[in-house]
Amino acid sequence: MPVRRLLRQGLHRLQKGPGYTYKELLVWYCNNTNTHGPRRIVCEGPKKKAVWGLLTLLFACLVCWQWGVFIHTYLAWDVSVALSTGFRTAAFPAVTLCNASPFRYSKVKVLLEDLDQLMEAVVQRILAPDPGRFNSSHTLNFTIWNHTPLVFIDERDPQRPVTLDLLASNPNSSASTCTAQECNVAMRLCSLNRTVCTLRNFTSATRAVTEWYALQATNIFARVPRPELVAMGYPAERLVLACLFGTQPCSHRNFTPIFYPHYGNCYIFNWGMTGQALPSANPGTEFGLKLILDIGQEDYVPFLASTAGARLMLHDQRAFPFIREEGIYAMSGTETSIGVLVDKLQRKGEPYSRCTENGSDVAIQNLYSIFNTTYSIQACLHSCFQDHMVHNCSCGHYLYPLPPGERYCNDQDFPDWAYCYLGLQMSMAQRETCISMCQESCNDTQYKMTISMADWPSEASEDWILHVLSQERDQSPNITMSRKGVVKLNIYFQEFNYRTIEETPANNLVWLLSNLGGQFGFWMGGSVLCLIEFGEIIIDFLWITVIKLVAFFKGVRQRHAQAPYSGPPPTVAELVEAHTNFGFQPDAASPDPHTAAHPKERTLPIPGTPPPNYDSLRLQPLDTIESDSEGDAI
């Protein structure tokens, strides 16, 4: 068959390689390679052979070591940062505004009545100069208090610290004479059956009561439907008194409302959700955003909002504003000017850095996707915490969006949620898990702000400015606004110059190949062709090994295939008779019971001289003779 003949020819050609032994192969390689050094090993005398062999081995080891270093450096996937600047018209950033107080006290006073009475009693107890004279009112609702009470920790005797419920009266306790100056105020948190309790200690009583009030208020607001919470906050028409963007007037209708649980109703200018982002015509204060805000400080929740002012944040279009983590305050009674510079960050993806284009490859479900916003690492971290909250506490925290089918935590449905929440909040393992699972965005925009402030309105102009603002807001000829309730903002580009910070690979494939080739050429005078030659000798080495193994196993198989004669060996006379008389058959051996037990064993034919091959005298084509001779050689 043609295929079989081709295979035989190919096998015969391979057998005509550089040598049939490893020594012949090595000598052939040293004589024919273009690499410096190996040829001198076979051409020089014994002493020079040893010297050149040692030098060749040493330099080959150096080349392998350098190659390992360069490959390890390349696989480290290091990046270098390139900073470039440009000048172009930029889109004005989105501006988010919130009031420091999430709700108007006049709207939530009924909900917080019991909590406010407890808070007043706590403050009275802390400020009481004589603790023995303190007497808690019987009208207090201790249902809220018993879930998470505040306690005094008396550590005047470090070996035997004593704790006392801050609103309890125990004359037999040494802590009953403890004051806030002598003892620390702590928050007691207990599990559902109160078998496990922990104390969250504070160095300041102010911080302790603020944290406690915020925790209890969260528990109350979590049971209120979201539309009612929006109605309790500050409406846009009350917050935004005046608006001017460049030379174009604007109003509260140009702001997109969003409910942010920590600050209540917030409003976003130029969010870009429904239309094109507004560009800035020129840098400077005249072409920016000018706002006058009324924060209504007189209607603040007294124990919930201890800071007065407006909270604001600059961010990219279609990005969710995490104003609690990234925002800044603008103080009331001042004019705050904010100059903006733009930095664009472009990170390399895998394998150079852990970043994501749109968050689709992040294992955490983005709970902020309901707002149709872009991915950010803050959204991932908050979603991860809420996921741990639902998994460990069986409910979600009021400050974060809820997964589908879950409920917000409150004392009525989940009595031990505060113990679970604060334990999870202080867990280092939870933080590390979320940080390891979340990824930064590959493309990000940062707004660098330069902030300056001045008193506004001035004493000379305060009267007429407040008169005009009162007329515009309340249609009253009298002054109904105070200087403590107004904030003026100027937000503008300082210049149109922007910076682009881009990550580029520090070591690319061209760098790797040039360094590998440089080291190989410097130490051994080699090139890519020398590597091909080395690959060729490796293939020949393997092929010789295969041939030797095939011959070895073939010989073993032939030795096992030879079986002994079933009877005695033939005599000389029988051999001669068999050679001269083709019809001669030797006498059958006597039957052997052992042989009969194995019918598969057959008597081998007696060897003889075969007749001559008369066909060899005939003329045949040359290619047929060559193929047959090659097959015999195999």
Side-chain angles (χ1 to χ4, degrees), residues 194 209 285 520:
R194 296 191 173 273
V209 296
T285 57
F520 189 39

Side-chain angles (χ1 to χ4, degrees), residues 110 163 225 268 334 369 514:
V110 177
T163 61
I268 307 176
T334 62
S369 59
S514 63

Side-chain angles (χ1 to χ4, degrees), residues 270-547:
N270 195 31
W271 202 10
M273 284 295 187
T274 57
Q276 191 74 16
L278 298 176
S280 180
N282 283 301
T285 57
E286 296 300 320
F287 302 94
L289 178 65
K290 306 178 186 64
L291 296 170
I292 298 178
L293 307 178
D294 176 19
I295 62 174
Q297 189 176 164
E298 68 280 355
D299 205 12
Y300 272 27
V301 181
F303 298 116
L304 187 60
S306 57
T307 303
R311 186 80 170 174
L312 70 146
M313 174 185 170
L314 308 183
H315 54 91
D316 211 0
Q317 275 73 30
R318 302 183 66 86
F320 189 86
F322 292 94
I323 195 166
R324 182 183 182 186
E325 292 80 11
E326 302 174 8
I328 61 173
Y329 277 113
M331 189 169 60
S332 59
T334 62
E335 178 177 350
T336 303
S337 297
I338 302 176
V340 181
L341 294 174
V342 181
D343 285 347
K344 293 185 178 294
L345 304 180
Q346 298 177 3
R347 300 180 179 91
K348 295 290 292 183
E350 294 288 349
Y352 296 97
S353 62
R354 294 181 66 251
C355 71
T356 177
E357 292 289 342
N358 53 16
S360 59
D361 53 344
V362 178
I364 300 299
Q365 178 188 3
N366 185 9
L367 300 179
Y368 291 87
S369 59
I370 59 176
F371 298 98
N372 196 25
T373 55
T374 57
Y375 172 87
S376 66
I377 191 171
Q378 286 290 349
C380 181
L381 292 175
H382 289 183
S383 300
C384 181
F385 180 84
Q386 187 74 308
D387 180 71
H388 283 80
M389 187 77 185
V390 171
H391 183 268
N392 292 277
C393 307
S394 303
C395 59
H397 197 275
Y398 162 75
L399 295 179
Y400 312 113
L402 271 180
E406 302 296 337
R407 293 183 298 167
Y408 281 124
C409 299
N410 60 81
D411 288 340
Q412 292 182 357
D413 301 326
F414 309 95
D416 61 338
W417 78 270
Y419 172 80
C420 178
Y421 161 68
L422 292 177
L424 192 64
Q425 188 183 40
M426 294 185 292
S427 172
M428 186 63 66
Q430 182 272 330
R431 299 179 195 174
E432 293 177 352
T433 300
C434 290
I435 291 175
S436 63
M437 296 181 68
C438 292
Q439 302 177 19
E440 290 184 309
S441 178
C442 291
N443 298 304
D444 195 9
T445 303
Q446 294 182 353
Y447 296 96
K448 305 296 183 181
M449 295 179 287
T450 302
I451 303 173
S452 60
M453 291 184 295
D455 289 340
W456 185 87
S458 64
E459 293 183 0
S461 60
E462 179 177 356
D463 185 69
W464 74 266
I465 289 179
L466 295 180
H467 259 105
V468 172
L469 292 177
S470 299
Q471 173 66 29
E472 291 178 346
R473 189 190 71 173
D474 301 325
Q475 290 77 42
S476 173
N478 300 321
I479 297 179
T480 58
M481 300 182 63
S482 66
R483 178 174 181 161
K484 296 179 180 180
V486 292
V487 177
K488 187 175 182 181
L489 295 175
N490 296 322
I491 304 172
Y492 57 93
F493 279 118
Q494 285 183 302
E495 54 187 23
F496 276 167
N497 289 341
Y498 67 92
R499 298 187 305 175
T500 300
I501 303 174
E502 182 180 4
E503 290 183 351
T504 56
N507 308 309
N508 53 22
L509 187 59
V510 175
W511 173 89
L512 177 64
L513 294 178
S514 63
N515 281 280
L516 295 182
Q519 293 298 318
F520 189 39
F522 178 76
W523 292 108
M524 300 190 69
S527 63
V528 177
L529 295 178
C530 297
L531 295 178
I532 297 176
E533 292 176 353
F534 187 74
E536 181 186 6
I537 192 178
I538 294 297
I539 295 175
D540 291 337
F541 175 85
L542 296 176
W543 181 246
I544 292 176
T545 303
V546 170
I547 292 177

